[in-house]
Amino acid sequence: MLNDKLKFSRIYLIAVFIVLYAPIVYLMVYSFNSGGTMTGFEGFTLDHYKEVMQDTRLLIIVLNTFVIALLSAAISTIIGVFGAIAIHFMRSKSKQTLLTLNNVLIVSPDVIIGASFLILFTIVGVKLGFVSVLLSHIAFSIPIVVIMVLPKLQEMNDSLIDAARDLGASTWHVIARVIMPFIKSGIFAGFFMALTYSLDDFAVTFFVTGNGYSTLAVEIYSRARQGVSLSINALSTLIFLFTILLVIGYYFINQRNNRLEDKGAKQ
């Protein structure tokens, strides 16, 4: 009976992953199609990848996207980590209120957030472009970092902080030498989550890009509206492979941190 349940769960999981990955595999296969459509595979070619590499405007947009993603992830991680620390040491009533406000920002529809930023930037007088995109990406990434860091803070034993203070450590030394090393894995997780959210964000960015500045998600959408181009398949394949590399990198960093934590606990 138990074996039957295990078989069913495996089949179910395999079916779910097939449904999730089938469109991506379909897209990747046709990125090598020598034909101009996705209705029939005529032969193998790398022309669509060459077309992507020779498109200077597209390469600049890719560079813009990664600059925005890295900057917004770094800044939102710094703000989010200190925000999570502040929330963790607050009194219960204020803590719950701030956590609720933080969660509301996470579940709010991107369209609403994007429209809100557009109205705000218009009123304040911020020109739409690099600055407006960066500010909006930082804003929606901070709640994600807070959510990733808070569980690590809750796992920490407060006696560590008490012991550090008894030994004469200042507030900054407690944060830098006790809290930060303990929540390091949460900080990495928050940074990578913010990075991936920024890379694939479309809805918010669409509202705040303005004329003359674009990110990859908005550019792909614009090109897809003009018709099916297999260069989009090639570009999407490259981004997907890069994302896999990020995930693999995060996995090994996480494994290394866990080994160091286990080693420290045994000592």
Side-chain angles (χ1 to χ4, degrees), residues 115-128:
S116 304
F117 275 115
L118 176 61
I119 294 168
L120 175 65
F121 291 142
T122 305
I123 293 172
V124 176
V126 176
K127 187 180 178 183
L128 298 183

Side-chain angles (χ1 to χ4, degrees), residues 80-191:
V81 167
F82 283 100
I85 293 172
I87 290 173
H88 179 69
F89 290 105
M90 276 184 174
R91 289 182 298 177
S92 58
K93 191 174 180 181
S94 303
K95 184 176 178 179
Q96 287 304 320
T97 303
L98 285 176
L99 275 176
T100 304
L101 291 173
N102 188 74
N103 293 338
V104 166
L105 287 174
I106 291 177
V107 299
S108 295
D110 287 348
V111 174
I112 303 299
I113 295 175
S116 304
F117 275 115
L118 176 61
I119 294 168
L120 175 65
F121 291 142
T122 305
I123 293 172
V124 176
V126 176
K127 187 180 178 183
L128 298 183
F130 175 80
V131 175
S132 60
V133 174
L134 179 63
L135 290 176
S136 57
H137 280 220
I138 291 170
F140 71 66
S141 297
I142 290 173
I144 298 164
V145 176
V146 171
I147 284 293
M148 300 303 291
V149 173
L150 267 179
K152 298 302 294 180
L153 286 167
Q154 289 164 356
E155 290 175 8
M156 188 175 64
N157 191 338
D158 290 341
S159 60
L160 291 172
I161 297 172
D162 295 335
R165 283 180 174 159
D166 289 343
L167 292 171
S170 63
T171 303
W172 173 247
H173 280 113
V174 169
I175 293 173
R177 303 287 178 83
V178 179
I179 297 177
M180 290 293 182
F182 194 89
I183 64 172
K184 192 165 56 179
S185 59
I187 295 173
F188 277 115
F191 175 81

Side-chain angles (χ1 to χ4, degrees), residues 19 94 197 224:
V19 171
S94 303
Y197 267 73

